[in-house]
Amino acid sequence: MLTSRLPALRTAAVAAAALAVAACFTGPATASQTRPRPFTLTSPDFRDGGRLPAWTEYGGYPDVTGCNGKNLAPELDWLGAPAGTAGYALLVNDPDAPLAGGWHHWVLYDIPGAAHQIDGHGTLQFTQGADSFDVNGLPGAGWGGPCPPPTGQVHHYVFTLYALSVPTLPEPGLTYKEVTAAIEPSVLGATSIVGTFRLP
């Protein structure tokens, strides 16, 4: 069952979050020390493992895609980033899509280290990379909402936020694969949440 994939998707996120905590704290706690908060990602718009709001649905070319939503990204909030975080990158992937490596719905980077929120809801912030949506022969940019087949199959959308030791990446318009390659030597920690969506 597709829903059985959710624990597997969470395993890497939990491990990454544990590494982030370890990076923040070394040595035993004393009376004068407080353990750092775990690096956690949440959203006021959906719960982890729950359905994404209808307004997040992709809204381009409804006659072709069958999707006619408002195509607005959810708000995301985080806390407990590892010490030394200078910037962040956010990647959103649908591993249930019939495409090698999944379908890339959002590639966002150059998020300042002092940030703790992505506003979503149509607000354009930070550097928008290339997603998997093809618009007139060119890759899409920014949030591309869920658009699974209209067969009732549940798809999972994995939002992964990476804490980085660098504030920015080399250039705008990077793809999912280019971002993952660029951040590899700079990742201090990562945290994820999963949203679901189905049509109809």
Side-chain angles (χ1 to χ4, degrees):
M1 293 176 57
L2 282 174
T3 52
S4 68
R5 293 177 59 115
L6 188 54
L9 293 172
R10 299 292 300 140
T11 301
V14 171
L19 287 174
V21 172
C24 292
F25 179 79
T26 57
T30 66
S32 63
Q33 292 176 321
T34 302
R35 278 194 173 275
R37 297 170 295 182
F39 186 25
T40 55
L41 181 63
T42 61
S43 174
D45 296 322
F46 70 100
R47 64 176 178 80
D48 188 19
R51 180 182 169 88
L52 291 168
W55 45 262
T56 65
E57 180 184 338
Y58 184 67
Y61 307 101
D63 54 331
V64 176
T65 65
C67 296
N68 56 4
K70 293 183 179 179
N71 201 46
L72 299 176
E75 177 185 326
L76 299 169
D77 306 292
W78 60 91
L79 55 80
T85 297
Y88 300 92
L90 176 78
L91 299 175
V92 182
N93 188 47
D94 171 12
D96 299 313
L99 183 70
W103 190 274
H104 311 312
H105 286 265
W106 205 5
V107 177
L108 189 65
Y109 52 97
D110 296 347
I111 304 168
H116 59 84
Q117 177 177 303
I118 296 169
D119 295 338
H121 297 258
T123 302
L124 291 178
Q125 297 171 283
F126 318 121
T127 301
Q128 308 282 333
D131 59 35
S132 292
F133 290 91
D134 189 310
V135 180
N136 296 324
L138 299 172
W143 170 255
C147 186
T151 57
Q153 180 187 30
V154 176
H155 279 224
H156 298 83
Y157 301 85
V158 184
F159 294 70
T160 304
L161 182 70
Y162 295 90
L164 309 175
S165 61
V166 295
T168 61
L169 296 186
E171 58 188 275
L174 296 177
T175 65
Y176 186 101
K177 289 183 178 180
E178 289 170 338
V179 169
T180 56
I183 69 175
E184 185 176 359
S186 307
V187 174
L188 299 176
T191 180
S192 296
I193 56 173
V194 179
T196 64
F197 203 82
R198 59 177 288 182
L199 291 174

